[in-house]
Amino acid sequence: MTIRLKELIAVAAILVFCLIFYIGKVSGWEPIEFSTVVSLIVVGILLASLLWILVLTLQGKLIERRIVFLYVGVAVAVPLFMKLSQEMPVSPAVQGVYDAVMELQPGSKVLIPFDYDPPTAPELQPMAETFLRICFQRDLKVIIMGIWPQGPQQAVLALEKILAEPDIAAKNLKYGVDYVNLGFQSGNEFVIQRMGGSFKSMFRTDYGGIPYDDLPLVKNIRNFSNIDYCFNLSSGFPGTVEWVQIAVDRYGVKLGAGNTAVQAPTVYPYLSSGQLTGLLGGMSGAAEFERAANARAKGTKYMLSQSVSHLVVIAFVIIGNVAFIMSGRKSALKG
Amino acid sequence: MRREVPLLITAIVGITFVVSYFIPHFPFNRMDAWFADWFSIIAACAIVLGALNLIKLSAQKVLDRKEDWVYSLVIIFSFILITVIGFWEGRDYRDPGTAFDWLYNNMYNPLSATMFSILAFFVASASYRAFRARNFEATLLLIAAFLVMIGRVPVGDFFTSFMPEGYRFSDLANWIMDYPQTAGQRAIMIGIGLGVVSTSLRVILGIERAHIGSGE
């Protein structure tokens, strides 16, 4: 079979899967969920097969890279259908964001810059949804904006979901009064800098084209001094680093952040220096935040997938080292 | 003149920025706003230029039948499709239920998420190959990676549930992130900061001229 034909078959298979999932989504099919026993059996099989690979490695047989990819694919995808509960401690960094929001009085104005796009949504969207839920439950006023083009659109998706929840829907929240989406503004960190002087100069209209002064929630907001708390969701540049350097250091904004797992380590220095009230890092940050807010949702569900995939990666690191030690011993014997 | 004028603009803008940071009085307190407007205008123009350049390069690849030209055709088709739909639906093109919204949620969203997800495979493959206990430093890195990976997921604490609080995998992972990792990051950030300052000074003073090209 030629490589081109293999590629075509792979693309066709993926298309068929996508079509099935799309039809399922549109038709409202019930999601497949393994029982606890079946889930444990699947995890057991996965671990047993990893043990078998370790034995093979000890016998001097090296595995191909494709096998590693296959295991990662299975470890990420299969747990999404499992039903296993996991206890998750809330780290001080996550607790910091939660405590900062809980300290706010009802009616406080919260700015949420959505500085990410769909690729990182699996990690950041659960954070956004939980944060919005807490804000609405506590009657905080929410102002959304983005210096990433797709950020405000991600915010629309999160708002749609949270506003449809029965307890939030019962509050009958009004756009422009209880929450507002100012949309995207180009200019990277200059937008933050200019907002320090005037919000209106950067957002003359909202996401839907309503003039700034016609929005009761923001018409009296001049600059950062009128904002009680800011929660930045970011997956790169411009993001949390720029918000800290300009909004926090220059204008004294109280800031919390939610970052991707890849980005979070770069922000840790700002956390320990007190420039950030707290930090949600990656999927585990989202899951911990859901636990702190006592509202388990997507973040918690996805953590099982992350747990299994981390175990698989650790197993392969051990196998890799075993292979490395074995090859070292062989070369030493040869030498 | 083609080299001097850009150098002069760079020097004036750079010096003004530095000065305006320290002087909060007119006209310096208005400089930020003026430059922010100019930055937005330049960024908007850059987006148009970028889009046109993408189409030009892709079209060239299709016309010359270069390797993987089919993917370039997909780029052109997708670009035209999303642009036409966006303009066709007018100002409310992003509203729920529009064709643009459907494309965003069902095509762009999953496709770009897939691109990021591929990272998992590379991380696994790289970990399998790179985390080898070759020497003392590599072994330290390996142990730290092991602790962070296991400590960042609930299963880590499940394995160390018999340990007192403060000594479980999640606590060890938090300690690594809070102290050794933060110390390393600080060192890197200070180094980058010093580098940015020196490069900026070189650009403002006209010593560094790479950003204006060869001048030919």
Side-chain angles (χ1 to χ4, degrees), chain B residues 81-114:
Chain B
L81 180 75
I82 201 92
T83 310
V84 168
I85 286 175
F87 277 111
W88 181 264
E89 292 187 320
R91 196 175 175 91
D92 304 323
Y93 68 104
R94 289 170 302 193
D95 285 355
T98 58
F100 188 91
D101 184 59
W102 188 91
L103 282 173
Y104 183 82
N105 290 330
N106 296 295
M107 301 290 281
Y108 180 75
N109 217 325
L111 280 171
S112 46
T114 305

PDB file of all heavy atoms in Angstrom, chain B residues 81-114:
ATOM      1  N   LEU B  81     -14.129  31.367   1.191  1.00  0.00           N
ATOM      2  CA  LEU B  81     -15.424  30.951   1.751  1.00  0.00           C
ATOM      3  C   LEU B  81     -15.776  31.760   3.001  1.00  0.00           C
ATOM      4  O   LEU B  81     -16.855  32.358   3.094  1.00  0.00           O
ATOM      5  CB  LEU B  81     -15.387  29.462   2.089  1.00  0.00           C
ATOM      6  CG  LEU B  81     -16.669  28.886   2.694  1.00  0.00           C
ATOM      7  CD1 LEU B  81     -17.741  28.709   1.628  1.00  0.00           C
ATOM      8  CD2 LEU B  81     -16.399  27.538   3.367  1.00  0.00           C
ATOM      9  N   ILE B  82     -14.833  31.821   3.957  1.00  0.00           N
ATOM     10  CA  ILE B  82     -15.126  32.488   5.236  1.00  0.00           C
ATOM     11  C   ILE B  82     -15.270  34.003   5.039  1.00  0.00           C
ATOM     12  O   ILE B  82     -16.107  34.644   5.687  1.00  0.00           O
ATOM     13  CB  ILE B  82     -14.051  32.132   6.298  1.00  0.00           C
ATOM     14  CG1 ILE B  82     -14.575  32.352   7.714  1.00  0.00           C
ATOM     15  CG2 ILE B  82     -12.772  32.910   6.126  1.00  0.00           C
ATOM     16  CD1 ILE B  82     -15.186  31.174   8.343  1.00  0.00           C
ATOM     17  N   THR B  83     -14.486  34.557   4.092  1.00  0.00           N
ATOM     18  CA  THR B  83     -14.574  36.004   3.838  1.00  0.00           C
ATOM     19  C   THR B  83     -15.919  36.351   3.203  1.00  0.00           C
ATOM     20  O   THR B  83     -16.598  37.296   3.636  1.00  0.00           O
ATOM     21  CB  THR B  83     -13.424  36.461   2.907  1.00  0.00           C
ATOM     22  OG1 THR B  83     -12.203  35.957   3.438  1.00  0.00           O
ATOM     23  CG2 THR B  83     -13.337  37.960   2.819  1.00  0.00           C
ATOM     24  N   VAL B  84     -16.300  35.557   2.181  1.00  0.00           N
ATOM     25  CA  VAL B  84     -17.571  35.832   1.479  1.00  0.00           C
ATOM     26  C   VAL B  84     -18.737  35.696   2.459  1.00  0.00           C
ATOM     27  O   VAL B  84     -19.613  36.567   2.528  1.00  0.00           O
ATOM     28  CB  VAL B  84     -17.736  34.872   0.270  1.00  0.00           C
ATOM     29  CG1 VAL B  84     -19.154  34.927  -0.280  1.00  0.00           C
ATOM     30  CG2 VAL B  84     -16.734  35.228  -0.815  1.00  0.00           C
ATOM     31  N   ILE B  85     -18.715  34.620   3.256  1.00  0.00           N
ATOM     32  CA  ILE B  85     -19.822  34.417   4.212  1.00  0.00           C
ATOM     33  C   ILE B  85     -19.863  35.557   5.232  1.00  0.00           C
ATOM     34  O   ILE B  85     -20.928  36.078   5.560  1.00  0.00           O
ATOM     35  CB  ILE B  85     -19.693  33.042   4.899  1.00  0.00           C
ATOM     36  CG1 ILE B  85     -20.077  31.948   3.908  1.00  0.00           C
ATOM     37  CG2 ILE B  85     -20.574  32.956   6.147  1.00  0.00           C
ATOM     38  CD1 ILE B  85     -19.893  30.556   4.408  1.00  0.00           C
ATOM     39  N   GLY B  86     -18.684  35.955   5.703  1.00  0.00           N
ATOM     40  CA  GLY B  86     -18.606  37.048   6.676  1.00  0.00           C
ATOM     41  C   GLY B  86     -19.202  38.339   6.143  1.00  0.00           C
ATOM     42  O   GLY B  86     -20.016  38.983   6.803  1.00  0.00           O
ATOM     43  N   PHE B  87     -18.822  38.689   4.895  1.00  0.00           N
ATOM     44  CA  PHE B  87     -19.352  39.934   4.295  1.00  0.00           C
ATOM     45  C   PHE B  87     -20.842  39.795   3.968  1.00  0.00           C
ATOM     46  O   PHE B  87     -21.616  40.728   4.152  1.00  0.00           O
ATOM     47  CB  PHE B  87     -18.563  40.287   3.030  1.00  0.00           C
ATOM     48  CG  PHE B  87     -17.280  41.019   3.347  1.00  0.00           C
ATOM     49  CD1 PHE B  87     -16.044  40.430   3.144  1.00  0.00           C
ATOM     50  CD2 PHE B  87     -17.310  42.316   3.865  1.00  0.00           C
ATOM     51  CE1 PHE B  87     -14.862  41.094   3.443  1.00  0.00           C
ATOM     52  CE2 PHE B  87     -16.127  42.988   4.166  1.00  0.00           C
ATOM     53  CZ  PHE B  87     -14.907  42.373   3.968  1.00  0.00           C
ATOM     54  N   TRP B  88     -21.222  38.612   3.471  1.00  0.00           N
ATOM     55  CA  TRP B  88     -22.603  38.362   3.059  1.00  0.00           C
ATOM     56  C   TRP B  88     -23.570  38.541   4.235  1.00  0.00           C
ATOM     57  O   TRP B  88     -24.659  39.096   4.074  1.00  0.00           O
ATOM     58  CB  TRP B  88     -22.705  36.942   2.494  1.00  0.00           C
ATOM     59  CG  TRP B  88     -24.087  36.577   2.018  1.00  0.00           C
ATOM     60  CD1 TRP B  88     -25.048  35.900   2.707  1.00  0.00           C
ATOM     61  CD2 TRP B  88     -24.661  36.878   0.745  1.00  0.00           C
ATOM     62  NE1 TRP B  88     -26.165  35.752   1.954  1.00  0.00           N
ATOM     63  CE2 TRP B  88     -25.960  36.350   0.720  1.00  0.00           C
ATOM     64  CE3 TRP B  88     -24.175  37.556  -0.396  1.00  0.00           C
ATOM     65  CZ2 TRP B  88     -26.810  36.466  -0.367  1.00  0.00           C
ATOM     66  CZ3 TRP B  88     -25.032  37.662  -1.492  1.00  0.00           C
ATOM     67  CH2 TRP B  88     -26.320  37.135  -1.462  1.00  0.00           C
ATOM     68  N   GLU B  89     -23.143  38.071   5.419  1.00  0.00           N
ATOM     69  CA  GLU B  89     -24.060  38.103   6.565  1.00  0.00           C
ATOM     70  C   GLU B  89     -24.067  39.450   7.282  1.00  0.00           C
ATOM     71  O   GLU B  89     -24.804  39.631   8.241  1.00  0.00           O
ATOM     72  CB  GLU B  89     -23.711  36.964   7.528  1.00  0.00           C
ATOM     73  CG  GLU B  89     -24.026  35.619   6.877  1.00  0.00           C
ATOM     74  CD  GLU B  89     -23.872  34.453   7.806  1.00  0.00           C
ATOM     75  OE1 GLU B  89     -22.916  34.460   8.588  1.00  0.00           O
ATOM     76  OE2 GLU B  89     -24.716  33.541   7.730  1.00  0.00           O
ATOM     77  N   GLY B  90     -23.207  40.343   6.840  1.00  0.00           N
ATOM     78  CA  GLY B  90     -23.247  41.703   7.381  1.00  0.00           C
ATOM     79  C   GLY B  90     -22.707  41.815   8.791  1.00  0.00           C
ATOM     80  O   GLY B  90     -21.929  40.980   9.236  1.00  0.00           O
ATOM     81  N   ARG B  91     -23.172  42.846   9.484  1.00  0.00           N
ATOM     82  CA  ARG B  91     -22.616  43.183  10.792  1.00  0.00           C
ATOM     83  C   ARG B  91     -22.849  42.097  11.854  1.00  0.00           C
ATOM     84  O   ARG B  91     -22.053  41.927  12.762  1.00  0.00           O
ATOM     85  CB  ARG B  91     -23.232  44.507  11.255  1.00  0.00           C
ATOM     86  CG  ARG B  91     -22.453  45.108  12.361  1.00  0.00           C
ATOM     87  CD  ARG B  91     -22.920  46.456  12.786  1.00  0.00           C
ATOM     88  NE  ARG B  91     -22.129  46.818  13.946  1.00  0.00           N
ATOM     89  CZ  ARG B  91     -20.995  47.471  13.895  1.00  0.00           C
ATOM     90  NH1 ARG B  91     -20.530  47.872  12.759  1.00  0.00           N
ATOM     91  NH2 ARG B  91     -20.318  47.738  14.994  1.00  0.00           N
ATOM     92  N   ASP B  92     -23.951  41.358  11.708  1.00  0.00           N
ATOM     93  CA  ASP B  92     -24.295  40.347  12.718  1.00  0.00           C
ATOM     94  C   ASP B  92     -23.759  38.965  12.343  1.00  0.00           C
ATOM     95  O   ASP B  92     -24.332  37.948  12.712  1.00  0.00           O
ATOM     96  CB  ASP B  92     -25.814  40.283  12.907  1.00  0.00           C
ATOM     97  CG  ASP B  92     -26.376  41.643  13.262  1.00  0.00           C
ATOM     98  OD1 ASP B  92     -25.701  42.382  13.995  1.00  0.00           O
ATOM     99  OD2 ASP B  92     -27.485  41.977  12.797  1.00  0.00           O
ATOM    100  N   TYR B  93     -22.671  38.924  11.606  1.00  0.00           N
ATOM    101  CA  TYR B  93     -22.173  37.640  11.074  1.00  0.00           C
ATOM    102  C   TYR B  93     -21.782  36.640  12.158  1.00  0.00           C
ATOM    103  O   TYR B  93     -21.783  35.440  11.939  1.00  0.00           O
ATOM    104  CB  TYR B  93     -20.992  37.882  10.128  1.00  0.00           C
ATOM    105  CG  TYR B  93     -19.728  38.390  10.785  1.00  0.00           C
ATOM    106  CD1 TYR B  93     -18.646  37.545  10.993  1.00  0.00           C
ATOM    107  CD2 TYR B  93     -19.610  39.710  11.197  1.00  0.00           C
ATOM    108  CE1 TYR B  93     -17.488  38.012  11.588  1.00  0.00           C
ATOM    109  CE2 TYR B  93     -18.458  40.178  11.796  1.00  0.00           C
ATOM    110  CZ  TYR B  93     -17.400  39.331  11.992  1.00  0.00           C
ATOM    111  OH  TYR B  93     -16.262  39.787  12.596  1.00  0.00           O
ATOM    112  N   ARG B  94     -21.479  37.133  13.388  1.00  0.00           N
ATOM    113  CA  ARG B  94     -21.035  36.192  14.434  1.00  0.00           C
ATOM    114  C   ARG B  94     -22.172  35.705  15.313  1.00  0.00           C
ATOM    115  O   ARG B  94     -21.962  34.922  16.222  1.00  0.00           O
ATOM    116  CB  ARG B  94     -19.980  36.867  15.314  1.00  0.00           C
ATOM    117  CG  ARG B  94     -18.670  37.064  14.610  1.00  0.00           C
ATOM    118  CD  ARG B  94     -17.750  37.926  15.410  1.00  0.00           C
ATOM    119  NE  ARG B  94     -18.320  39.235  15.687  1.00  0.00           N
ATOM    120  CZ  ARG B  94     -17.625  40.275  16.165  1.00  0.00           C
ATOM    121  NH1 ARG B  94     -16.361  40.139  16.417  1.00  0.00           N
ATOM    122  NH2 ARG B  94     -18.202  41.430  16.382  1.00  0.00           N
ATOM    123  N   ASP B  95     -23.381  36.180  15.055  1.00  0.00           N
ATOM    124  CA  ASP B  95     -24.516  35.804  15.917  1.00  0.00           C
ATOM    125  C   ASP B  95     -24.784  34.301  15.841  1.00  0.00           C
ATOM    126  O   ASP B  95     -24.554  33.676  14.803  1.00  0.00           O
ATOM    127  CB  ASP B  95     -25.769  36.573  15.501  1.00  0.00           C
ATOM    128  CG  ASP B  95     -25.707  38.018  15.965  1.00  0.00           C
ATOM    129  OD1 ASP B  95     -24.732  38.356  16.671  1.00  0.00           O
ATOM    130  OD2 ASP B  95     -26.604  38.796  15.604  1.00  0.00           O
ATOM    131  N   PRO B  96     -25.298  33.716  16.938  1.00  0.00           N
ATOM    132  CA  PRO B  96     -25.628  32.292  16.910  1.00  0.00           C
ATOM    133  C   PRO B  96     -26.622  31.974  15.787  1.00  0.00           C
ATOM    134  O   PRO B  96     -27.558  32.735  15.562  1.00  0.00           O
ATOM    135  CB  PRO B  96     -26.269  32.050  18.284  1.00  0.00           C
ATOM    136  CG  PRO B  96     -25.731  33.137  19.145  1.00  0.00           C
ATOM    137  CD  PRO B  96     -25.534  34.316  18.259  1.00  0.00           C
ATOM    138  N   GLY B  97     -26.350  30.884  15.092  1.00  0.00           N
ATOM    139  CA  GLY B  97     -27.256  30.463  14.020  1.00  0.00           C
ATOM    140  C   GLY B  97     -26.816  30.905  12.641  1.00  0.00           C
ATOM    141  O   GLY B  97     -27.342  30.416  11.642  1.00  0.00           O
ATOM    142  N   THR B  98     -25.851  31.809  12.558  1.00  0.00           N
ATOM    143  CA  THR B  98     -25.391  32.238  11.230  1.00  0.00           C
ATOM    144  C   THR B  98     -24.431  31.198  10.652  1.00  0.00           C
ATOM    145  O   THR B  98     -23.900  30.359  11.393  1.00  0.00           O
ATOM    146  CB  THR B  98     -24.654  33.592  11.318  1.00  0.00           C
ATOM    147  OG1 THR B  98     -23.551  33.431  12.232  1.00  0.00           O
ATOM    148  CG2 THR B  98     -25.557  34.701  11.819  1.00  0.00           C
ATOM    149  N   ALA B  99     -24.236  31.273   9.337  1.00  0.00           N
ATOM    150  CA  ALA B  99     -23.327  30.316   8.683  1.00  0.00           C
ATOM    151  C   ALA B  99     -21.897  30.494   9.201  1.00  0.00           C
ATOM    152  O   ALA B  99     -21.155  29.520   9.392  1.00  0.00           O
ATOM    153  CB  ALA B  99     -23.363  30.526   7.174  1.00  0.00           C
ATOM    154  N   PHE B 100     -21.526  31.739   9.451  1.00  0.00           N
ATOM    155  CA  PHE B 100     -20.182  32.018   9.983  1.00  0.00           C
ATOM    156  C   PHE B 100     -20.006  31.354  11.345  1.00  0.00           C
ATOM    157  O   PHE B 100     -18.981  30.728  11.619  1.00  0.00           O
ATOM    158  CB  PHE B 100     -19.980  33.536  10.107  1.00  0.00           C
ATOM    159  CG  PHE B 100     -18.575  33.936  10.466  1.00  0.00           C
ATOM    160  CD1 PHE B 100     -17.643  34.205   9.480  1.00  0.00           C
ATOM    161  CD2 PHE B 100     -18.181  34.028  11.793  1.00  0.00           C
ATOM    162  CE1 PHE B 100     -16.346  34.567   9.807  1.00  0.00           C
ATOM    163  CE2 PHE B 100     -16.889  34.381  12.131  1.00  0.00           C
ATOM    164  CZ  PHE B 100     -15.970  34.656  11.127  1.00  0.00           C
ATOM    165  N   ASP B 101     -21.029  31.474  12.181  1.00  0.00           N
ATOM    166  CA  ASP B 101     -20.994  30.869  13.519  1.00  0.00           C
ATOM    167  C   ASP B 101     -20.899  29.346  13.413  1.00  0.00           C
ATOM    168  O   ASP B 101     -20.149  28.709  14.150  1.00  0.00           O
ATOM    169  CB  ASP B 101     -22.258  31.282  14.288  1.00  0.00           C
ATOM    170  CG  ASP B 101     -22.255  30.774  15.717  1.00  0.00           C
ATOM    171  OD1 ASP B 101     -21.315  31.138  16.445  1.00  0.00           O
ATOM    172  OD2 ASP B 101     -23.160  30.017  16.094  1.00  0.00           O
ATOM    173  N   TRP B 102     -21.625  28.775  12.429  1.00  0.00           N
ATOM    174  CA  TRP B 102     -21.589  27.326  12.241  1.00  0.00           C
ATOM    175  C   TRP B 102     -20.173  26.883  11.841  1.00  0.00           C
ATOM    176  O   TRP B 102     -19.643  25.916  12.385  1.00  0.00           O
ATOM    177  CB  TRP B 102     -22.593  26.905  11.154  1.00  0.00           C
ATOM    178  CG  TRP B 102     -22.751  25.416  11.051  1.00  0.00           C
ATOM    179  CD1 TRP B 102     -23.660  24.646  11.713  1.00  0.00           C
ATOM    180  CD2 TRP B 102     -21.951  24.520  10.267  1.00  0.00           C
ATOM    181  NE1 TRP B 102     -23.464  23.320  11.390  1.00  0.00           N
ATOM    182  CE2 TRP B 102     -22.432  23.217  10.511  1.00  0.00           C
ATOM    183  CE3 TRP B 102     -20.880  24.682   9.401  1.00  0.00           C
ATOM    184  CZ2 TRP B 102     -21.877  22.089   9.902  1.00  0.00           C
ATOM    185  CZ3 TRP B 102     -20.320  23.554   8.800  1.00  0.00           C
ATOM    186  CH2 TRP B 102     -20.821  22.281   9.046  1.00  0.00           C
ATOM    187  N   LEU B 103     -19.605  27.630  10.901  1.00  0.00           N
ATOM    188  CA  LEU B 103     -18.241  27.294  10.454  1.00  0.00           C
ATOM    189  C   LEU B 103     -17.245  27.425  11.604  1.00  0.00           C
ATOM    190  O   LEU B 103     -16.351  26.593  11.760  1.00  0.00           O
ATOM    191  CB  LEU B 103     -17.816  28.218   9.306  1.00  0.00           C
ATOM    192  CG  LEU B 103     -18.372  27.887   7.926  1.00  0.00           C
ATOM    193  CD1 LEU B 103     -17.994  28.982   6.942  1.00  0.00           C
ATOM    194  CD2 LEU B 103     -17.840  26.557   7.428  1.00  0.00           C
ATOM    195  N   TYR B 104     -17.417  28.464  12.415  1.00  0.00           N
ATOM    196  CA  TYR B 104     -16.503  28.698  13.540  1.00  0.00           C
ATOM    197  C   TYR B 104     -16.573  27.544  14.550  1.00  0.00           C
ATOM    198  O   TYR B 104     -15.549  27.004  14.959  1.00  0.00           O
ATOM    199  CB  TYR B 104     -16.851  30.019  14.228  1.00  0.00           C
ATOM    200  CG  TYR B 104     -15.905  30.377  15.354  1.00  0.00           C
ATOM    201  CD1 TYR B 104     -14.687  30.992  15.091  1.00  0.00           C
ATOM    202  CD2 TYR B 104     -16.218  30.084  16.679  1.00  0.00           C
ATOM    203  CE1 TYR B 104     -13.814  31.312  16.113  1.00  0.00           C
ATOM    204  CE2 TYR B 104     -15.342  30.397  17.707  1.00  0.00           C
ATOM    205  CZ  TYR B 104     -14.149  31.017  17.424  1.00  0.00           C
ATOM    206  OH  TYR B 104     -13.277  31.311  18.444  1.00  0.00           O
ATOM    207  N   ASN B 105     -17.824  27.171  14.892  1.00  0.00           N
ATOM    208  CA  ASN B 105     -18.002  26.149  15.938  1.00  0.00           C
ATOM    209  C   ASN B 105     -17.694  24.738  15.461  1.00  0.00           C
ATOM    210  O   ASN B 105     -17.200  23.923  16.229  1.00  0.00           O
ATOM    211  CB  ASN B 105     -19.428  26.191  16.480  1.00  0.00           C
ATOM    212  CG  ASN B 105     -19.673  27.432  17.292  1.00  0.00           C
ATOM    213  OD1 ASN B 105     -18.751  27.969  17.910  1.00  0.00           O
ATOM    214  ND2 ASN B 105     -20.892  27.919  17.280  1.00  0.00           N
ATOM    215  N   ASN B 106     -18.038  24.458  14.192  1.00  0.00           N
ATOM    216  CA  ASN B 106     -17.929  23.072  13.723  1.00  0.00           C
ATOM    217  C   ASN B 106     -16.742  22.791  12.822  1.00  0.00           C
ATOM    218  O   ASN B 106     -16.455  21.625  12.550  1.00  0.00           O
ATOM    219  CB  ASN B 106     -19.223  22.668  13.011  1.00  0.00           C
ATOM    220  CG  ASN B 106     -20.393  22.675  13.960  1.00  0.00           C
ATOM    221  OD1 ASN B 106     -20.456  21.890  14.900  1.00  0.00           O
ATOM    222  ND2 ASN B 106     -21.298  23.616  13.752  1.00  0.00           N
ATOM    223  N   MET B 107     -16.065  23.827  12.341  1.00  0.00           N
ATOM    224  CA  MET B 107     -14.892  23.597  11.497  1.00  0.00           C
ATOM    225  C   MET B 107     -13.632  24.193  12.138  1.00  0.00           C
ATOM    226  O   MET B 107     -12.702  23.478  12.476  1.00  0.00           O
ATOM    227  CB  MET B 107     -15.091  24.226  10.095  1.00  0.00           C
ATOM    228  CG  MET B 107     -16.272  23.700   9.349  1.00  0.00           C
ATOM    229  SD  MET B 107     -16.066  22.007   8.799  1.00  0.00           S
ATOM    230  CE  MET B 107     -15.061  22.220   7.361  1.00  0.00           C
ATOM    231  N   TYR B 108     -13.656  25.503  12.306  1.00  0.00           N
ATOM    232  CA  TYR B 108     -12.452  26.184  12.803  1.00  0.00           C
ATOM    233  C   TYR B 108     -12.076  25.718  14.208  1.00  0.00           C
ATOM    234  O   TYR B 108     -10.915  25.412  14.492  1.00  0.00           O
ATOM    235  CB  TYR B 108     -12.670  27.700  12.776  1.00  0.00           C
ATOM    236  CG  TYR B 108     -11.473  28.470  13.262  1.00  0.00           C
ATOM    237  CD1 TYR B 108     -10.348  28.614  12.459  1.00  0.00           C
ATOM    238  CD2 TYR B 108     -11.442  29.032  14.528  1.00  0.00           C
ATOM    239  CE1 TYR B 108      -9.235  29.296  12.899  1.00  0.00           C
ATOM    240  CE2 TYR B 108     -10.339  29.721  14.983  1.00  0.00           C
ATOM    241  CZ  TYR B 108      -9.237  29.849  14.172  1.00  0.00           C
ATOM    242  OH  TYR B 108      -8.136  30.516  14.627  1.00  0.00           O
ATOM    243  N   ASN B 109     -13.102  25.663  15.076  1.00  0.00           N
ATOM    244  CA  ASN B 109     -12.863  25.300  16.477  1.00  0.00           C
ATOM    245  C   ASN B 109     -12.233  23.907  16.614  1.00  0.00           C
ATOM    246  O   ASN B 109     -11.139  23.778  17.177  1.00  0.00           O
ATOM    247  CB  ASN B 109     -14.194  25.384  17.224  1.00  0.00           C
ATOM    248  CG  ASN B 109     -14.014  25.920  18.614  1.00  0.00           C
ATOM    249  OD1 ASN B 109     -13.018  25.641  19.247  1.00  0.00           O
ATOM    250  ND2 ASN B 109     -14.972  26.681  19.089  1.00  0.00           N
ATOM    251  N   PRO B 110     -12.872  22.849  16.086  1.00  0.00           N
ATOM    252  CA  PRO B 110     -12.252  21.522  16.241  1.00  0.00           C
ATOM    253  C   PRO B 110     -10.933  21.366  15.498  1.00  0.00           C
ATOM    254  O   PRO B 110     -10.020  20.703  15.994  1.00  0.00           O
ATOM    255  CB  PRO B 110     -13.304  20.551  15.685  1.00  0.00           C
ATOM    256  CG  PRO B 110     -14.325  21.364  15.019  1.00  0.00           C
ATOM    257  CD  PRO B 110     -14.210  22.766  15.479  1.00  0.00           C
ATOM    258  N   LEU B 111     -10.818  22.011  14.312  1.00  0.00           N
ATOM    259  CA  LEU B 111      -9.575  21.858  13.553  1.00  0.00           C
ATOM    260  C   LEU B 111      -8.395  22.482  14.288  1.00  0.00           C
ATOM    261  O   LEU B 111      -7.318  21.882  14.387  1.00  0.00           O
ATOM    262  CB  LEU B 111      -9.710  22.501  12.164  1.00  0.00           C
ATOM    263  CG  LEU B 111     -10.450  21.675  11.113  1.00  0.00           C
ATOM    264  CD1 LEU B 111     -10.697  22.498   9.869  1.00  0.00           C
ATOM    265  CD2 LEU B 111      -9.677  20.420  10.754  1.00  0.00           C
ATOM    266  N   SER B 112      -8.600  23.689  14.828  1.00  0.00           N
ATOM    267  CA  SER B 112      -7.481  24.333  15.518  1.00  0.00           C
ATOM    268  C   SER B 112      -7.201  23.655  16.859  1.00  0.00           C
ATOM    269  O   SER B 112      -6.053  23.607  17.296  1.00  0.00           O
ATOM    270  CB  SER B 112      -7.720  25.832  15.691  1.00  0.00           C
ATOM    271  OG  SER B 112      -8.996  26.080  16.158  1.00  0.00           O
ATOM    272  N   ALA B 113      -8.250  23.097  17.491  1.00  0.00           N
ATOM    273  CA  ALA B 113      -8.022  22.335  18.729  1.00  0.00           C
ATOM    274  C   ALA B 113      -7.195  21.084  18.431  1.00  0.00           C
ATOM    275  O   ALA B 113      -6.340  20.680  19.221  1.00  0.00           O
ATOM    276  CB  ALA B 113      -9.350  21.960  19.364  1.00  0.00           C
ATOM    277  N   THR B 114      -7.447  20.499  17.251  1.00  0.00           N
ATOM    278  CA  THR B 114      -6.687  19.306  16.851  1.00  0.00           C
ATOM    279  C   THR B 114      -5.199  19.634  16.716  1.00  0.00           C
ATOM    280  O   THR B 114      -4.339  18.861  17.141  1.00  0.00           O
ATOM    281  CB  THR B 114      -7.215  18.765  15.504  1.00  0.00           C
ATOM    282  OG1 THR B 114      -8.608  18.550  15.649  1.00  0.00           O
ATOM    283  CG2 THR B 114      -6.540  17.471  15.113  1.00  0.00           C
TER     284      THR B 114
END
